[in-house]
Amino acid sequence: MGNKKEDIKDELYGDEVREKIEEFAEKGWDAIPEEERDAWFSRFKFWGVFHHRGGQESYFMMRLTNCGGVLEPGQLRAVGEVAREYASGPVDNPEFGDAWIDFTTRQSIQLHWLKLEDIPDIWEKLEGVGLTSRSAGGDTMRNISGCPVAGKAEEYIDSRPILDEIQETIRGDNDLCNMPRKFNISVSGCKQGCAQDAINDIGLEPAHKFVDGEEVEGFNVRVGGGLGGREPRNARPLDLFVRPEHAVETVREFVEYYHELGNRTNRSKNRARFFVDEHGTETIRDDLAERLAFGFETAGTDFRGEYTYNAGKKTDFGAHDHVGVYDQADDRNYVGLSVPIGRLPAEDVVELADLADAYGSGEVRLSRRQNPLIMDVPDGNLANLLNEPFLEKYSPEPNPFVQGAMACTGTEFCSLALTETKARMARMLRWLGDNVDLPADVDRIKMHYSGCTADCGQAMTADIGLQGMRARKDGEMVEALDVGVGGGIGEEPSFVEWVRQRVPADEVPGMIANIVEAYAALRSEGQTFSEWVDATGHETIVELAEPEEVEGYEDPCLNDAKQSWYPFDDGESPAPTDESGEPLSADD
């Protein structure tokens, strides 16, 4: 017996949903029967169309899919033009104004404040340049993660063809669209670990082994990673080495295996990490051996000891992210910009596309840390690009707090979130940058903020992780945060340990300052934050992590806790509109 979501999907799901979205868009918001809206909104997600939270009726978010973060020439410009024309809300955000895009932690893009009647026109504009929102949400395979510079920078294995084939043949297969729950795939070809295979449902990470005296390149396979619900799991090794020619086949078989046998009854326990808990890696490996046509080989030697991406190591060991100027394999360069918490106004999106055209090939790529990369910049163009005023605002050399920051959507639009995230994080970053000094050799402190325990902002993997909660302060309910330290994705991935819980949001910047200042004062020479946390011990850090109100920081919505229709407006929610965009009468 399935659950309510499975019953909804059994009636209609996948590619066929698009026709209904277009039909509703033509007739207007009121054409969706009120008693059926939750069911339709659940189906819409497969096409990347998400209804905003309660109080924001008739406004939608659209998420795109672009495998491995690649935006080909012309695609980012189209996104910016769509945002400028259609992503305009009824109320400005106090930090970001109106009409912007969000970069996601799965290397893609979200657009907000979209009206249902505009969705077909938006699709036409985006699909005209080769972008799609298909399979961007719901119980399906989400955007595939890979090294954002796959095929351009140094890789142990060329992963770009593998990523593209998975996108075309597996994610494009409508027979596999209806998964038990959302499903994340990653393939890394580099040695830095930037696809974060440890927190994906299936991850292929580069490895090698010697067979008959010769080095053979391939991948080790890990399954069942994930972060949400305060029940995180590292993806577990299957003791399976696959050669590049077998990579796509292996991913498909595990996808089909979970598609067939995954739990469709209990949605709180049916992500792939629980599937692996239930069946065990030995059983999964044996079952895959029967399903796959090639002979199995035991795991090779991986490169986890060389992982640097969000791994808590010194910068001398290698790049922690893709912010900065880096060499490409073809003697050109890519320039990674830091967009604070991944939000970029529409006009700046278009300007970024202009810069990519003027100084590079026009191609832009996105990292898992919500940042864009301008690709294919010749040496002769590099100095002029770096002198552009745009790069003063979105610097390849930001301050340590900005460079390490990520944040999810929060209560601004998300029905699950308990706190606002983006504007709050922007203000915290500004206050910390102005008031907290760090040693000269510390170039980033990774702070990740999730509005709830679903952990879309990957708080569990941060130096300092923040998750939204609620608490009482002075007798009133306020937005609050749980604060943890010590996460990271490296050779031995770790998740944060919670230091303080339900800290009122206006006391969090002071608490972070107290932790970071203690680190700066007490660290050994050259010690990273991650190393200091391990050496200091949990009890001592709890003592150092004192919450504190601080001068100069004003929280954007301390008392909202999702009480208003929009965290930055106390007025009435705007009325839904008809197919022409005119407000519907409240009397109808």
Side-chain angles (χ1 to χ4, degrees), residues 29-30 34 37 575-578 582-588:
W29 164 262
D30 217 24
E34 186 172 357
R37 282 176 185 164
T577 53
D578 64 17
E582 293 298 316
L584 295 166
S585 170
D587 297 329
D588 289 348

Side-chain angles (χ1 to χ4, degrees), residues 16-36:
E16 291 75 15
V17 173
R18 177 161 175 150
E19 184 177 338
K20 292 299 296 185
I21 296 175
E22 292 170 339
E23 178 185 322
F24 289 133
E26 183 178 356
K27 295 179 179 179
W29 164 262
D30 217 24
I32 309 174
E34 186 172 357
E35 67 277 8
E36 298 178 11

Side-chain angles (χ1 to χ4, degrees), residues 175-194:
D175 289 340
L176 294 174
C177 72
N178 180 5
M179 302 289 282
R181 284 294 295 276
K182 69 177 181 179
F183 190 91
N184 292 325
I185 299 168
S186 69
V187 180
S188 290
C190 67
K191 296 181 180 181
Q192 287 74 42
C194 53

Side-chain angles (χ1 to χ4, degrees), residues 316-567:
D316 294 346
F317 283 87
H320 288 218
D321 48 42
H322 294 87
V323 174
V325 180
Y326 298 90
D327 296 332
Q328 291 183 187
D330 59 6
D331 295 326
R332 294 182 290 180
N333 309 274
Y334 70 88
V335 180
L337 309 184
S338 181
V339 173
I341 57 171
R343 180 163 285 180
L344 196 62
E347 294 298 338
D348 290 353
V349 177
V350 174
E351 185 173 354
L352 175 57
D354 288 341
L355 294 176
D357 283 338
Y359 294 105
S361 65
E363 185 175 292
V364 173
R365 297 194 178 186
L366 307 178
S367 77
R368 292 204 65 170
R369 298 196 60 80
Q370 301 177 309
N371 290 313
L373 287 58
I374 297 176
M375 306 301 298
D376 307 318
V377 181
D379 288 346
N381 289 352
L382 191 56
N384 288 337
L385 171 60
L386 295 176
N387 284 327
E388 285 282 351
F390 188 88
L391 273 71
E392 295 178 10
K393 185 176 182 182
Y394 305 109
S395 174
E397 296 181 347
N399 78 50
F401 296 107
V402 170
Q403 180 148 352
M406 299 201 307
C408 76
T409 300
T411 55
E412 189 175 11
F413 304 113
C414 179
S415 61
L416 298 178
L418 297 174
T419 66
E420 196 281 330
T421 54
K422 296 278 191 181
R424 176 172 288 125
M425 189 66 146
R427 293 191 183 184
M428 282 199 290
L429 293 175
R430 191 160 55 244
W431 186 87
L432 290 165
D434 290 343
N435 292 278
V436 179
D437 293 325
L438 285 167
D441 64 327
V442 177
D443 57 5
R444 70 208 78 193
I445 297 288
K446 291 187 170 65
M447 292 194 303
H448 303 172
Y449 185 3
S450 293
C452 71
T453 60
D455 206 22
C456 297
Q458 300 182 4
M460 298 293 293
T461 70
D463 287 333
I464 301 175
L466 312 172
Q467 283 190 351
M469 292 289 166
R470 294 179 189 173
R472 287 200 173 273
K473 179 174 181 175
D474 301 328
E476 292 187 62
M477 186 64 69
V478 297
E479 298 194 1
L481 285 74
D482 286 357
V483 183
V485 299
I489 303 294
E491 181 177 7
E492 296 180 1
S494 60
F495 302 120
V496 296
E497 286 192 71
W498 301 106
V499 176
R500 299 274 180 147
Q501 295 185 296
R502 300 184 184 276
V503 179
D506 62 339
E507 299 176 23
V508 171
M511 177 181 171
I512 293 172
N514 289 334
I515 295 172
V516 172
E517 287 172 347
Y519 159 62
L522 302 174
R523 70 195 282 257
S524 302
E525 184 176 355
Q527 195 173 39
T528 68
F529 185 85
S530 178
E531 291 168 342
W532 176 76
V533 167
D534 288 342
T536 301
H538 185 72
E539 291 185 4
T540 300
I541 291 177
V542 170
E543 293 177 7
L544 296 169
E546 187 67 32
E548 180 182 355
E549 292 184 22
V550 289
E551 185 176 349
Y553 175 79
E554 182 179 352
D555 198 83
C557 47
L558 179 64
N559 297 101
D560 185 79
K562 208 154 51 175
Q563 298 302 307
S564 65
W565 73 275
Y566 188 61

Side-chain angles (χ1 to χ4, degrees), residues 141-433:
M141 290 169 275
R142 301 297 181 86
N143 200 47
I144 305 167
S145 291
C147 176
V149 291
K152 298 281 188 178
E154 182 181 351
E155 289 184 279
Y156 182 70
I157 301 172
D158 185 5
S159 62
R160 192 69 240 172
I162 295 169
L163 290 162
D164 290 340
E165 189 175 349
I166 293 171
Q167 170 74 16
E168 181 178 353
T169 65
I170 303 177
R171 288 191 74 243
D173 187 344
N174 198 43
D175 289 340
L176 294 174
C177 72
N178 180 5
M179 302 289 282
R181 284 294 295 276
K182 69 177 181 179
F183 190 91
N184 292 325
I185 299 168
S186 69
V187 180
S188 290
C190 67
K191 296 181 180 181
Q192 287 74 42
C194 53
Q196 299 192 119
D197 304 302
I199 54 173
N200 283 274
D201 296 307
I202 181 169
L204 304 186
E205 56 184 7
H208 65 131
K209 64 186 306 179
F210 287 87
V211 179
D212 297 329
E214 293 187 8
E215 183 181 11
V216 178
E217 300 173 354
F219 301 93
N220 285 344
V221 182
R222 291 179 180 263
V223 295
L227 298 177
R230 293 284 174 93
E231 296 187 82
R233 302 284 192 281
N234 290 316
R236 280 141 283 181
L238 286 183
D239 190 22
L240 172 60
F241 177 84
V242 298
R243 303 179 187 227
E245 60 268 26
H246 297 141
V248 175
E249 179 186 357
T250 302
V251 172
R252 170 174 277 277
E253 288 301 330
F254 187 71
V255 168
E256 291 184 350
Y257 183 62
Y258 174 65
H259 181 268
E260 295 167 12
L261 300 179
N263 183 337
R264 293 182 182 268
T265 302
N266 183 355
R267 289 185 66 82
S268 67
K269 291 288 185 181
N270 68 349
R271 288 294 304 274
R273 64 183 184 272
F274 301 119
F275 179 81
V276 176
D277 288 350
E278 178 184 357
H279 292 272
T281 54
E282 290 186 11
T283 296
I284 291 172
R285 190 181 194 278
D286 290 344
D287 288 349
L288 287 179
E290 293 182 6
R291 300 170 71 106
L292 288 163
F294 61 88
F296 271 26
E297 298 177 87
T298 56
T301 302
D302 60 40
F303 298 99
R304 288 195 155 213
E306 300 179 38
Y307 277 13
T308 55
Y309 196 85
N310 194 25
K313 295 182 179 179
K314 300 178 180 66
T315 305
D316 294 346
F317 283 87
H320 288 218
D321 48 42
H322 294 87
V323 174
V325 180
Y326 298 90
D327 296 332
Q328 291 183 187
D330 59 6
D331 295 326
R332 294 182 290 180
N333 309 274
Y334 70 88
V335 180
L337 309 184
S338 181
V339 173
I341 57 171
R343 180 163 285 180
L344 196 62
E347 294 298 338
D348 290 353
V349 177
V350 174
E351 185 173 354
L352 175 57
D354 288 341
L355 294 176
D357 283 338
Y359 294 105
S361 65
E363 185 175 292
V364 173
R365 297 194 178 186
L366 307 178
S367 77
R368 292 204 65 170
R369 298 196 60 80
Q370 301 177 309
N371 290 313
L373 287 58
I374 297 176
M375 306 301 298
D376 307 318
V377 181
D379 288 346
N381 289 352
L382 191 56
N384 288 337
L385 171 60
L386 295 176
N387 284 327
E388 285 282 351
F390 188 88
L391 273 71
E392 295 178 10
K393 185 176 182 182
Y394 305 109
S395 174
E397 296 181 347
N399 78 50
F401 296 107
V402 170
Q403 180 148 352
M406 299 201 307
C408 76
T409 300
T411 55
E412 189 175 11
F413 304 113
C414 179
S415 61
L416 298 178
L418 297 174
T419 66
E420 196 281 330
T421 54
K422 296 278 191 181
R424 176 172 288 125
M425 189 66 146
R427 293 191 183 184
M428 282 199 290
L429 293 175
R430 191 160 55 244
W431 186 87
L432 290 165

